Amino acid sequence: YGQTGTGKTHTMTGNMENQNEAGVIPRAVGHIFRYLNALGGVNEFTVKCSFLELYNEEITDLLAAGEADSPKQKVRIMEDPRAGVVMQGLEEPHVKTAADIFDLLETGNAKRRTAETLLNKQSSRSHSVFIVTVSVREVLAEGEEVIRVGKLYLVDLAGSENITRSGAVDQRAKEAGNINKSLLTLGRVITALVEGQGHVPYRDSKLTRLLRDSLGGRTKTCIIATIAPTVQCQEETMSTLDYAHRAKNIKNKPEVNQKISKTTHLKEMGGEIARLKAELVAAREKNGVYMPHAQYEEDQARMKEQAERIEAMEAQAEQMEAELGMTRAELEAAHQDIAEGRYIIEQQRQCEQALADHAVGLTNGLHS
């Protein structure tokens, strides 16, 4: 996290061809494969990667075939009660070496949106998230085979940007506005977590939905704050340091990587293969429903449930509106009663004053 032009992307990637100048991602990838190779032939493992960017609140798959603006590269973000945040339609190619990952990084980085501003010749106009998923087969002491799964999210946020100073106009200004909006939402999430507020606004931005587990969740999280050494950027530097200080006070509850039995894992993979085959058959037949009938019925049931919930919420809203109207009427009546009471009190005060003045007049007459 940091102001635009302070070296966030360089910190994350660096020079992948030179180990001494490598950034966080190449070093992390190298560490993962050194660990996996040290396991030897005892434990089998698989590694797969995905690379996405968040541009103007749209998630794009940087590893999908085609141009960056292709509709096929758009990714839907969904939430599963069991699996958490799920990206539907995200490419996850398997890799065998660190070099394979570096090739994917170069492919994805070539599609990232960048532009020149007054603060940076190659300013990132989007947030990027590189995900490495590692699955390792282990044999427990009881002889049972299990699969241990872990994920590593490597996030390169776009820089917070002062539009006046960066000279952003038109499309660049719109990009900066969306960047700042998502970063402000991230700041509100951090504040809510640190202060222990009941509601944490994760759903206000797709960025905070993606990072939900990293903020107050079940993962170990590291934040690198980048700052500029110039006096002109003093305000942004203080803001960045305050941001990082608040983030440091978030309490996560890391959990051990999930372990599932090999049988369960194979069953899930078999179900996934069967679903994909059914979708392929449905698409080839072109019978008007380009998905398996069971999935279509499931979607219809979900839509019906959502429609019922919307109808119930609309009825509740109408009831609340009616109650609000009654409350307003009662409030207006109360205001009117108060006004009438004040008028009566004022009339009584005037009468009392007139009587007092009359009494004084009579007293003066008697003395005379």
Side-chain angles (χ1 to χ4, degrees), residues 296-312:
Y296 173 76
E297 290 182 344
E298 182 181 346
D299 291 345
Q300 290 296 315
R302 188 185 300 111
M303 290 171 63
K304 183 179 178 181
E305 181 183 355
Q306 291 176 349
E308 291 174 350
R309 288 179 59 189
I310 292 172
E311 186 177 351

Side-chain angles (χ1 to χ4, degrees), residues 324-341:
L324 181 61
M326 294 175 60
T327 304
R328 283 176 178 168
E330 292 174 358
L331 184 60
E332 289 176 0
H335 280 307
Q336 187 175 357
D337 291 341
I338 291 171
E340 291 176 357

Side-chain angles (χ1 to χ4, degrees), residues 100-296:
D100 294 340
I101 292 184
F102 297 156
D103 291 340
L104 294 177
L105 275 170
E106 289 183 2
T107 301
N109 282 326
K111 294 182 180 180
R112 280 197 68 184
R113 272 89 163 186
T114 60
E116 182 176 352
T117 67
L118 297 179
L119 295 175
N120 192 352
K121 288 185 177 180
Q122 196 172 7
S123 174
S124 299
R125 313 310 293 171
S126 62
H127 311 294
S128 75
V129 183
F130 188 75
I131 307 170
V132 182
T133 305
V134 181
S135 302
V136 180
R137 183 183 68 87
E138 294 181 348
V139 181
L140 300 180
E142 301 82 10
E144 181 185 4
E145 292 187 1
V146 296
I147 306 294
R148 182 160 54 99
V149 181
K151 284 189 176 184
L152 176 65
Y153 282 68
L154 297 154
V155 185
D156 178 19
L157 296 176
S160 58
E161 187 170 322
N162 185 320
I163 295 178
T164 304
R165 191 173 298 164
S166 68
V169 294
D170 299 331
Q171 182 65 18
R172 301 286 87 83
K174 179 183 177 182
E175 294 167 351
N178 282 313
I179 291 169
N180 290 337
K181 178 183 176 182
S182 60
L183 293 176
L184 284 172
T185 305
L186 181 59
R188 290 201 302 272
V189 167
I190 291 174
T191 300
L193 289 169
V194 172
E195 296 180 355
Q197 299 177 7
H199 172 67
V200 182
Y202 288 115
R203 297 183 66 86
D204 288 0
S205 168
K206 289 184 179 179
L207 175 64
T208 48
R209 290 179 70 185
L210 285 172
L211 301 180
R212 182 165 187 164
D213 263 349
S214 302
L215 300 167
R218 303 170 296 173
T219 66
K220 290 185 178 180
T221 303
C222 173
I223 296 181
I224 300 173
T226 59
I227 58 175
T230 59
V231 177
Q232 291 82 357
C233 298
Q234 181 178 356
E235 183 179 346
E236 286 85 354
T237 296
M238 296 299 294
S239 174
T240 298
L241 294 176
D242 177 63
Y243 204 99
H245 177 72
R246 284 186 289 123
K248 193 172 67 171
N249 292 322
I250 295 176
K251 303 297 182 183
N252 282 17
K253 298 178 181 178
E255 294 183 2
V256 177
N257 289 345
Q258 180 185 10
K259 290 184 178 181
I260 57 177
S261 68
K262 184 178 179 181
T263 304
T264 303
H265 186 64
L266 290 174
K267 186 177 179 180
E268 289 181 355
M269 293 298 100
E272 180 71 10
I273 292 171
R275 184 183 66 81
L276 292 173
K277 284 183 177 179
E279 288 182 359
L280 180 61
V281 170
R284 283 176 175 172
E285 290 178 355
K286 296 182 179 180
N287 58 4
V289 180
Y290 299 97
M291 63 176 67
H293 190 68
Q295 184 179 345
Y296 173 76

Side-chain angles (χ1 to χ4, degrees), residues 77-110:
I77 183 171
M78 307 174 69
E79 291 189 25
D80 186 295
R82 185 175 61 88
V85 176
V86 178
M87 270 77 74
Q88 189 179 42
L90 191 65
E91 292 284 341
E92 289 185 301
H94 286 75
V95 294
K96 295 182 178 180
T97 64
D100 294 340
I101 292 184
F102 297 156
D103 291 340
L104 294 177
L105 275 170
E106 289 183 2
T107 301
N109 282 326

Side-chain angles (χ1 to χ4, degrees), residues 3-66:
Q3 180 192 3
T4 182
T6 52
K8 296 181 298 302
T9 300
H10 180 72
T11 300
M12 294 304 294
T13 57
N15 185 352
M16 289 185 286
E17 297 179 357
N18 187 339
Q19 184 62 32
N20 295 326
E21 299 176 2
V24 173
I25 295 178
R27 292 174 186 268
V29 168
H31 179 82
I32 288 171
F33 276 97
R34 284 195 298 272
Y35 170 80
L36 293 175
N37 292 329
L39 295 176
V42 179
N43 297 322
E44 299 176 356
F45 64 85
T46 59
V47 181
K48 55 185 180 181
C49 301
S50 51
F51 198 8
L52 57 90
E53 75 168 350
L54 179 59
Y55 175 74
N56 286 344
E57 284 300 300
E58 288 286 342
I59 299 178
T60 304
D61 188 352
L62 294 175
L63 298 182

